[in-house]
Amino acid sequence: FAFLPLRSYGMRFLLQADWVLPSSRESVDASSAWNQWLRSCVPDLFVEAAAALLQRAGDEQEKLRASNLLLQLVPTGASEFFEPLAKACCRRLKSVRFLLTRGGEFVTPGEAVVAGSSALEEASAPFATDRLVAQIGLHPAHPSLSLPAELARHLGVRRLDASLAVELLAELSS
């Protein structure tokens, strides 16, 4: 049996597979075509697991827990052989409705907006902000969503900042 973690690769979940190991059995053989193929399967499996988790979420609290759990499991800290997984998983997650909105619905990362500048958030009531960003097809993320800025950037989540404010003003003036 060969399963991870043989040693720490910075993954946030266990990854069981028939990995090819070097004679030291301390790591995964990065030069193995079989291991590279196995690694390439992970993003699709990650998304399948995400879909199964989201399907079970019933009320808003369960949806929030599911969304936050998925955000915690994205392998952003993976190292060495598994480093490409973070980008690959983010690429696949961009098409998945898993970010919970203030309205209690799941949206794709490209449809979500998170607070950027506290001054912009304070300048308008949340209801007004929601209506404004809806003008350009965005939905405010749930305020209890745990989305680190770096991960939000990789997923393509927009921030409510000055550039988005200009975009909103341009949309309103047209």
Side-chain angles (χ1 to χ4, degrees):
F1 295 100
F3 62 91
L4 296 177
L6 299 169
R7 62 178 183 75
S8 178
Y9 281 98
M11 303 285 283
R12 297 178 176 170
F13 51 87
L14 294 178
L15 192 53
Q16 171 65 39
D18 188 17
W19 302 99
V20 174
L21 307 177
S23 60
S24 68
R25 301 191 56 81
E26 293 177 356
S27 61
V28 171
D29 182 356
S31 65
S32 164
W34 173 254
N35 285 348
Q36 292 168 15
W37 177 79
L38 285 173
R39 179 186 62 194
S40 74
C41 294
V42 173
D44 288 337
L45 294 171
F46 186 83
V47 168
E48 283 182 40
L53 177 66
L54 295 170
Q55 189 175 12
R56 293 178 182 206
D59 64 15
E60 187 172 327
Q61 285 301 329
E62 288 178 2
K63 288 179 179 180
L64 180 60
R65 278 194 297 274
S67 199
N68 278 331
L69 178 60
L70 285 174
L71 291 168
Q72 289 174 8
L73 293 175
V74 176
T76 55
S79 62
E80 298 174 30
F81 177 72
F82 293 97
E83 190 173 357
L85 285 181
K87 287 181 183 174
C89 286
C90 284
R91 225 179 358 264
R92 290 287 287 120
L93 282 173
K94 286 181 179 184
S95 63
V96 177
R97 295 180 165 278
F98 77 98
L99 290 178
L100 191 64
T101 66
R102 210 180 324 224
E105 300 297 321
F106 288 123
V107 296
T108 65
E111 298 170 321
V113 63
V114 294
S117 164
S118 59
L120 281 174
E121 275 286 304
E122 292 171 10
S124 63
F127 178 71
T129 304
D130 292 3
R131 290 184 57 200
L132 284 173
V133 297
Q135 294 290 318
I136 58 172
L138 297 176
H139 307 274
H142 194 283
S144 297
L145 199 62
S146 298
L147 180 58
E150 182 74 10
L151 181 55
R153 189 175 61 74
H154 285 300
L155 289 170
V157 176
R158 301 283 304 270
R159 294 191 72 72
L160 183 57
D161 57 12
S163 66
L164 185 58
V166 169
E167 190 177 329
L168 287 167
L169 291 172
E171 177 67 27
L172 292 173
S173 68
S174 62

